[in-house]
Amino acid sequence: MVAILSLMVVMGFMMLGEWVSTRSRAYVPSVFITALLFLVGFWTMVPKNIVPAASFGTAFIQITQAVLLVHMGTLMDLRLLLKQWRAVVIALSGVVGTVVLTMGIGRLLFDWHTIVASVPPLTGGLVAAFLMTAGLKAQHITALVAFPVAMFVMHSMLGYPLTAWMLKRESRRLLQVRHVDVTVATADSATSATVQTTAQLPAGPLPTVPAKVKSAKTQLRHWQLPAAYDTSAFMLFKVAAVTGLAEWTAQLAHGTVNQYIICLVFGVIAHQLGFLEDAVLEKAGVFHWLMYGLLAYIFANLNIVKISMLSGILIPIVTLIVLGVLGMWIASSLLARPLGFSREMAFASALTALFGFPADYIVTHEVTEIMGSTAEEKQYLLDQMLPKMLVGGFATVSVASVIIASIFLKIL
């Protein structure tokens, strides 16, 4: 009974977040509302262990995050992924801007230890927050343990709505560009048809595309099992096999490359080779369950935050957030035009440092669902924005945050 009630409360928080997001047309992202509900719940009557009691424990997450990243790889084309080096540069420049402004101006306003304990979560969200928390506990600096977690809570509440706003502005721009392109293409087609009619082209079948130029992905799928045997269990078996190979490779690399980045890359490769289907976990029917579980596990970490903890450090936290986000905006804006980004898209890519995966995926998906009026428009927006957001988030949260947190722990 306890497990069922726990699951009901957790999914109720998720449901209310989605409803508010839909009602506000994604101006208020679901992850923001859900995080707020968990925080208030932990302050009042929700048990601290409600998430593991709902079956989303450590063992569940050890499987979920890696498997979801392999799934993310099946959503992207390899050539498209390789083209996102500009998003990596912009996202990392945002991290540099954050560090420079907070360590520069912030040092004039607050003491050294406050800044060092608070800044890493601004460059890596939850990952950096808990790296700093563990490091501070290991060094017995208990007075500062509250700062990284409080920073994560506070900047998430700003980061989610701000990112959604930037993506909505970018969506409007992209849809305008697409509308112009479609209009021009239609006009060109009409002109071409008129010329062909005037020239009285000879009747006969139109030339077809030679077989040798068909997509490699189509050719590589001929060995797949018949539909009757291509079951959800078979899909999950293939995903598990790719995930296991990715994690084995990460172990061989001895942490040189983050294991989750390797999972993403292996997902892309398996998808390109035709071994994994498009959006494989959605076809297997388990994607939303895994995603909700991962989100619940992340929000469960808010159970250590107390009202007194936030009220005592509110001024330095809010000031450093403003400085950090301003640094992201300045750095991303300077590189936007040279790298072919709009300022909105560049800033959104830099903001992924505040939360990373899976929030970057969820916010982008929610915005495209709201802004696109047809399935084609929604897919167009996803193709244009999601790769930039995912790659930017991995560069900051999975790589830069680990490096920065380890450096900051040494200079405390």
Side-chain angles (χ1 to χ4, degrees), residues 120-165:
L122 268 173
T123 66
L126 184 64
V127 175
F130 280 87
L131 283 174
M132 291 301 297
T133 301
L136 290 168
K137 289 180 179 178
Q139 296 186 32
H140 305 289
I141 311 177
T142 55
L144 298 176
V145 169
F147 280 85
V149 180
M151 174 62 80
F152 168 71
V153 173
M154 296 300 296
H155 80 55
S156 297
M157 294 180 179
L158 172 66
Y160 296 150
L162 184 57
T163 304
W165 185 44

Side-chain angles (χ1 to χ4, degrees), residues 8-263:
M8 182 186 71
V9 172
V10 169
M11 299 312 299
F13 287 170
M14 300 286 180
M15 173 195 71
L16 291 173
E18 292 177 345
W19 285 3
V20 172
S21 176
T22 301
R23 183 66 178 176
S24 66
R25 295 184 58 82
Y27 275 114
V28 183
S30 65
V31 283
F32 167 69
I33 296 298
T34 304
L36 192 60
L37 289 171
F38 269 102
L39 191 60
V40 174
F42 288 138
W43 286 345
T44 53
M45 63 180 64
V46 174
K48 304 292 186 183
N49 66 336
I50 190 171
V51 171
S55 80
F56 304 127
T58 304
F60 177 87
I61 296 305
Q62 288 176 346
I63 297 172
T64 299
Q65 187 150 352
V67 165
L68 280 172
L69 289 171
V70 170
H71 168 80
M72 292 297 111
T74 67
L75 302 178
M76 293 182 285
D77 183 87
L78 181 59
R79 290 172 296 179
L80 185 63
L81 183 63
L82 294 175
K83 291 178 181 178
Q84 299 309 320
W85 64 269
R86 295 177 179 85
V88 173
V89 172
I90 288 177
L92 293 179
S93 73
V95 171
V96 173
T98 295
V99 173
V100 169
L101 225 58
T102 52
M103 297 293 286
I105 299 177
R107 184 67 182 89
L108 302 175
L109 303 174
F110 309 108
D111 67 89
W112 173 254
H113 288 95
T114 297
I115 296 172
V116 173
S118 304
V119 169
L122 268 173
T123 66
L126 184 64
V127 175
F130 280 87
L131 283 174
M132 291 301 297
T133 301
L136 290 168
K137 289 180 179 178
Q139 296 186 32
H140 305 289
I141 311 177
T142 55
L144 298 176
V145 169
F147 280 85
V149 180
M151 174 62 80
F152 168 71
V153 173
M154 296 300 296
H155 80 55
S156 297
M157 294 180 179
L158 172 66
Y160 296 150
L162 184 57
T163 304
W165 185 44
M166 289 295 106
L167 290 178
K168 292 189 77 170
R169 290 172 60 91
E170 175 67 2
S171 296
R172 292 192 188 96
R173 186 191 70 83
L174 289 171
L175 290 175
Q176 289 176 354
V177 172
R178 183 174 186 271
H179 177 72
V180 171
D181 290 344
V182 170
T183 302
V184 172
T186 302
D188 289 344
S189 299
T191 303
S192 176
T194 302
V195 171
Q196 291 176 5
T197 302
T198 304
Q200 297 182 350
L201 292 176
L206 295 175
T208 59
V209 179
K212 65 180 180 180
V213 301
K214 291 181 180 179
S215 69
K217 188 186 297 184
T218 302
Q219 295 181 27
L220 288 168
R221 289 185 183 276
H222 73 277
W223 50 264
Q224 284 192 333
L225 295 177
Y229 298 95
D230 196 14
T231 63
S232 295
F234 180 55
M235 295 179 193
L236 290 174
F237 169 79
K238 292 190 292 182
V239 171
V242 173
T243 306
L245 182 60
E247 295 201 339
W248 177 70
T249 303
Q251 291 177 358
L252 292 180
H254 300 290
T256 304
V257 180
N258 186 276
Q259 70 178 44
Y260 296 132
I261 297 178
I262 296 178
C263 287

